[in-house]
Amino acid sequence: MRVLLLGANGYLGRYVADRLLADPAVQLTALGRGDDADVRFDLASGSPGALTRFLNAVHPGVVINCAGATRGGARDLTRHNTVAVATVCESLRRSGCGARLVQLGCSSEYGPSQPGSSTAEDAVPRPGGPYGVSKLAATELVLGSGLDAIVLRVFSPVGPGTPAGSPLGRLADAMRRAMQSGDSELKLSGLGVQRDFVDVRDVARAVHAASLSAAQGAVNIGTGRAVRLRDAASLLARVAGFGGALHELDDPHLGTPPAYPYPDGCGSWQQADVRTARDRLGWRPRIGLEESLADIWMEAACRI
């Protein structure tokens, strides 16, 4: 099976590439902006015609799009998350390769949800910020394209390679600094937020399964269990061997307002309904949060 992977150098793309390379039946070609891509191409500025010519030359059976941006202003997010996907869809329509498209979406497309609820794929999306809006627009382009396509709405990915600037990355870095300086306490904010954390390697398994399946539409990829960031911090402290106290700067008993460190526009709660992934992809998460956090800590502890 010939697979064209877009965004192979990104956080999710790296693990998708590793998963696909482990399958002897896959012939992988990586397209991206970096020097280590098999083919250099910028989806945000490249023309559909140029990409169409490349598709006709390579003739992949599956195109997987892990490319995109998570930060920046509305203009940049639209260019990298929406315009880029429009280019992919138009190129596939023009091409004669008939490839299946696997698009990585995100839970930010749903926006805030009711605490205690599980968000299913038929929920009305109400993104709470420009990132979610740009990703939702991309999903609508894919699902309305008439292509053989599936969108995997990934909830909160964690594990090795977690960006240092992400909430869990910042938490691990703060804990490392506290341990290095001998601090007996760590002051943190935003620990009341609850998210559905799914390991990046499980996400890669879901992408692999989606590329082999005939399922179409949107499919949630998560664990089906929301975890409070406070509990993740305690688990990380145990993994790291941090014996100090964790103090919340936004403790409700002190009358301070809660801080939401997640810039995803989803408020205080998100939890996926993952029955569709189980039923249509045969996929279930395998890696627990403790293992994911141990990998995050190992990388943070190695930073100087």
Side-chain angles (χ1 to χ4, degrees):
M1 179 174 65
R2 293 180 179 174
V3 177
L4 176 63
L5 177 59
L6 313 176
N9 296 323
Y11 173 38
L12 298 179
R14 290 195 299 272
Y15 291 94
V16 171
D18 288 345
R19 178 74 186 184
L20 294 173
L21 288 169
D23 183 347
V26 171
Q27 180 181 337
L28 182 64
T29 301
L31 183 148
R33 291 178 291 170
D35 292 335
D36 51 352
D38 296 321
V39 177
R40 293 192 65 181
F41 188 86
D42 188 345
L43 290 173
S45 59
S47 71
L51 184 56
T52 299
R53 289 190 292 274
F54 177 73
L55 289 170
N56 288 335
V58 175
H59 216 273
V62 178
V63 173
I64 300 172
N65 185 25
C66 298
T70 58
R71 296 182 181 182
R75 182 175 182 178
D76 285 338
L77 290 170
T78 300
R79 189 163 61 91
H80 289 287
N81 295 337
T82 310
V83 174
V85 171
T87 296
V88 173
C89 291
E90 180 61 24
S91 300
L92 283 169
R93 278 195 296 263
R94 295 183 187 183
S95 170
C97 67
R100 173 173 173 78
L101 175 60
V102 179
Q103 164 74 13
L104 263 65
C106 71
S107 60
S108 294
E109 298 174 38
Y110 291 119
S113 56
Q114 186 69 28
S117 67
S118 293
T119 302
E121 290 84 357
D122 60 356
V124 177
R126 296 185 177 90
Y131 173 64
V133 170
S134 68
K135 293 294 288 185
L136 176 60
T139 290
E140 295 296 338
L141 284 169
V142 170
L143 299 185
S145 66
L147 299 169
D148 174 14
I150 185 171
V151 177
L152 302 182
R153 278 181 169 151
V154 179
F155 276 62
S156 298
V158 294
T162 294
S166 70
L168 285 176
R170 291 197 304 269
L171 178 59
D173 199 51
M175 197 166 291
R176 174 186 62 81
R177 291 196 303 270
M179 294 176 71
Q180 286 178 338
S181 60
D183 293 340
S184 60
E185 63 178 17
L186 186 58
K187 297 179 180 180
L188 304 165
S189 64
L191 298 186
V193 170
Q194 297 182 72
R195 289 292 183 269
D196 190 330
F197 298 110
V198 57
D199 193 274
V200 66
R201 292 157 293 193
D202 279 334
V203 174
R205 287 180 43 248
V207 173
H208 190 199
S211 68
L212 297 173
S213 79
Q216 297 184 342
V219 178
N220 289 340
I221 302 299
T223 65
R225 183 173 70 94
V227 175
R228 195 179 302 272
L229 194 56
R230 180 184 305 119
D231 297 331
S234 298
L235 184 56
L236 180 63
R238 186 168 77 242
V239 166
F242 177 69
L246 300 178
H247 293 298
E248 296 182 55
L249 298 179
D250 48 350
D251 191 330
H253 300 293
L254 300 178
T256 54
Y260 299 139
Y262 272 82
D264 56 8
C266 295
S268 63
W269 170 275
Q270 263 205 335
Q271 178 174 283
D273 182 328
V274 294
R275 289 175 293 178
T276 302
R278 179 196 63 201
D279 296 343
R280 302 186 66 190
L281 300 181
W283 176 90
R284 289 179 174 83
R286 294 178 181 172
I287 299 175
L289 182 57
E290 183 169 358
E291 182 176 345
S292 303
L293 290 173
D295 290 325
I296 292 173
W297 172 248
M298 182 176 296
E299 293 181 344
C302 292
R303 296 191 188 106
I304 299 176

